[in-house]
């Protein structure tokens, strides 16, 4: 290589490295870069979270959202709005695209684009260049007659079980809390949740049961539901194996520590114990008064009927 070309090559490499470093500093992206749902029904609603990310959040930026989707623009709502601030110091800022499908739309596929444009809040000074960054979100929605049933488990937990003496022992339950995202376009829930309790060595199965009494979740919503099981083991620490079913398919399973502890009755518990018989007595008195009043009304009506039927002399 000629020595005359070496300085020129070094200059080119230096410029490229500076350019790449500037691109990295100004890096901006979104995840996911789409809003896709092919199982929307008429009148349904759907929400997609989009995370706006930047590599160097060294200043406040203004985000401006524009929607290019003539057929479905009125369906789409942006939270927190079509203009909002990406605060300094925050590498990731969420936005939400809400889809509200009208009840009288045509069954078909709808597409569009959402553009995100970011720019500094302050005007450049001293010959600085104003950097404007943007990204594109593809929208692909289908309104269909088809019934689609599915869900995703987003979390599972078992709170510590606090055993109380009779009569509050009637309310002792093992509670399995499952955070469920309904992916279907109809209201639904897992088919059933099963629970197996083992000792810590996992050699002895101490309890096995299942429940189908589960709260249903609105379509495309996320909610924590509760599955209740009786307490059939002594206080202590155990392994709990949970399975969540869609029909006969095991959709999700996990193994968690289960803690069961015996606790004394608190003041609030004694108030509950006293209030239960008082409430029963009050209800019985109300029922007695209602029945007595009805009997009195019937007797009065019967007497009036007899008086009207008796001929006057």
């Amino acid at each position: 290589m000629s020595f005359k070309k070496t300085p020129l090559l070094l200059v080119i490499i230096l410029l490229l490295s500076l350019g790449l470093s500037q691109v990295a500093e100004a890096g901006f992206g979104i995840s996911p870069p789409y809003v896709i749902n092919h199982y929307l029904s008429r009148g349904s609603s759907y929400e997609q979270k989009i995370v706006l990310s930047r590599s160097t959040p060294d200043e406040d930026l203004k985000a401006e959202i524009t929607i290019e989707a003539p057929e479905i623009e009125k369906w789409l709502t942006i939270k927190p709005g079509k203009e909002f601030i990406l605060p300094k110091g925050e590498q990731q800022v969420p936005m939400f695209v809400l889809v509200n499908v009208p009840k009288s739309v045509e069954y078909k596929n709808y597409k569009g684009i959402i553009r995100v444009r970011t720019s500094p809040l302050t005007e450049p000074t001293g010959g600085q260049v104003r950097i404007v960054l943007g990204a594109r979100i593809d929208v692909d929605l289908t309104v269909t007659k088809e019934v689609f049933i599915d869900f995703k488990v987003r979390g599972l937990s078992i709170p510590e079980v606090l055993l109380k003496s009779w009569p509050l022992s009637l309310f002792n339950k093992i509670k399995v809390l499952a955070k469920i995202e309904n992916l279907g376009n109809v209201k639904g829930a897992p088919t059933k949740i099963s629970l197996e309790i083992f000792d810590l060595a996992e050699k002895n199965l101490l309890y096995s049961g299942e429940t189908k009494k589960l709260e249903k979740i609105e379509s495309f919503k996320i909610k924590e539901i509760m599955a209740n099981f009786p307490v059939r083991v002594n206080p202590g620490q155990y392994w709990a194996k949970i399975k969540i079913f869609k029909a006969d398919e095991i959709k999700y399973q996990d193994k968690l520590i289960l803690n069961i502890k015996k606790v004394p009755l608190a003041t609030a518990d004694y108030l509950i114990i006293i209030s239960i018989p008082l409430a029963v007595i009050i209800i019985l008195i109300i029922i007695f008064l209602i029945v007595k009043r009805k009997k009195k009304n019937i007797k009065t009506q019967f007497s009036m009927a007899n008086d009207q039927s008796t001929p006057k002399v």
Side-chain angles (χ1 to χ4, degrees):
M1 181 182 294
S2 172
F3 287 105
K4 293 181 179 180
K5 294 182 180 180
T6 302
L8 179 61
L9 182 61
L10 290 173
V11 170
I12 293 172
I13 293 172
L14 180 61
L15 289 173
L16 285 173
S17 63
L18 287 173
L20 288 172
S21 65
Q22 289 175 358
V23 170
E25 288 176 0
F28 175 73
I30 56 174
S31 178
Y34 52 77
V35 177
I36 298 177
N37 192 320
H38 293 157
Y39 295 100
L40 293 168
S41 56
R42 287 175 172 173
S44 65
S45 60
Y46 172 70
E47 182 178 280
Q48 174 69 62
K49 179 180 178 181
I50 307 287
V51 177
L52 312 182
S53 304
R54 51 181 174 148
S55 56
T56 53
D58 51 5
E59 63 176 329
D60 291 339
L61 293 182
K62 181 173 74 171
E64 298 174 277
I65 313 298
T66 56
I67 300 173
E68 300 174 12
E71 284 190 292
I72 58 174
E73 184 172 356
K74 292 182 179 179
W75 305 7
L76 306 179
T77 303
I78 308 298
K79 288 197 310 186
K82 288 189 175 181
E83 289 189 7
F84 55 92
I85 301 301
L86 305 183
K88 179 180 178 180
E90 296 288 336
Q91 284 191 309
Q92 295 187 333
V93 177
M95 62 173 268
F96 298 87
V97 179
L98 280 67
V99 181
N100 291 293
V101 183
K103 293 183 178 180
S104 58
V105 296
E106 185 180 350
Y107 291 115
K108 67 171 190 175
N109 180 256
Y110 299 87
K111 293 187 177 181
I113 296 170
I114 299 173
R115 298 192 186 276
V116 183
R117 179 178 178 270
T118 64
S119 59
L121 294 178
T122 57
E123 294 294 330
T125 58
Q128 293 180 340
V129 178
R130 184 184 182 90
I131 299 176
V132 177
L133 300 174
R136 163 178 165 157
I137 301 169
D138 291 313
V139 181
D140 185 357
L141 306 173
T142 301
V143 182
T144 178
K145 294 180 182 179
E146 181 183 349
V147 174
F148 178 67
I149 299 173
D150 200 6
F151 65 87
K152 183 176 183 179
V153 180
R154 291 195 168 271
L156 191 67
S157 64
I158 302 181
E160 183 178 46
V161 180
L162 302 178
L163 296 181
K164 296 187 178 181
S165 303
W166 192 90
L168 295 185
S169 59
L170 299 172
F171 303 101
N172 289 338
K173 298 289 182 184
I174 297 172
K175 299 175 181 179
V176 176
L177 304 178
K179 193 173 185 180
I180 305 293
E181 179 181 4
N182 184 0
L183 303 174
N185 57 9
V186 293
K187 197 173 182 179
T191 307
K192 63 182 178 180
I193 295 179
S194 70
L195 171 68
E196 292 180 331
I197 299 176
F198 290 84
D199 58 16
L200 291 179
E202 294 187 65
K203 293 182 178 180
N204 300 306
L205 175 62
L206 307 175
Y207 170 81
S208 177
E210 63 180 40
T211 181
K212 296 181 179 179
K213 295 179 180 179
L214 303 171
E215 180 185 358
K216 291 188 175 182
I217 305 163
E218 296 290 341
S219 59
F220 309 119
K221 301 296 182 183
I222 299 175
K223 190 171 185 180
E224 187 174 69
I225 63 174
M226 182 188 301
N228 291 316
F229 297 90
V231 182
R232 300 284 174 79
V233 293
N234 295 321
Q237 193 173 66
Y238 305 90
W239 280 115
K241 295 184 179 181
I242 304 106
K243 295 177 182 177
I244 301 179
F245 290 81
K246 175 188 173 184
D248 294 327
E249 172 194 358
I250 299 174
K251 191 75 174 178
Y252 183 89
Q253 58 183 325
D254 202 354
K255 183 176 73 171
L256 303 174
I257 284 289
L258 169 63
N259 289 303
I260 301 177
K261 187 196 304 183
K262 181 77 172 178
V263 294
L265 294 178
T267 303
D269 297 325
Y270 286 110
L271 292 175
I272 293 172
I273 293 170
I274 295 169
S275 64
I276 289 174
L278 285 176
V280 172
I281 291 170
I282 291 170
I283 291 170
L284 291 174
I285 291 172
I286 292 171
I287 293 172
F288 173 77
L289 293 174
I290 291 172
V291 171
K292 186 178 180 180
R293 187 173 180 180
K294 283 186 176 181
K295 285 182 177 180
K296 185 177 180 181
N297 290 338
I298 293 171
K299 188 176 180 180
T300 302
Q301 291 173 3
F302 181 75
S303 298
M304 290 175 64
N306 284 340
D307 290 343
Q308 291 175 0
S309 61
T310 303
K312 296 182 178 179
V313 178

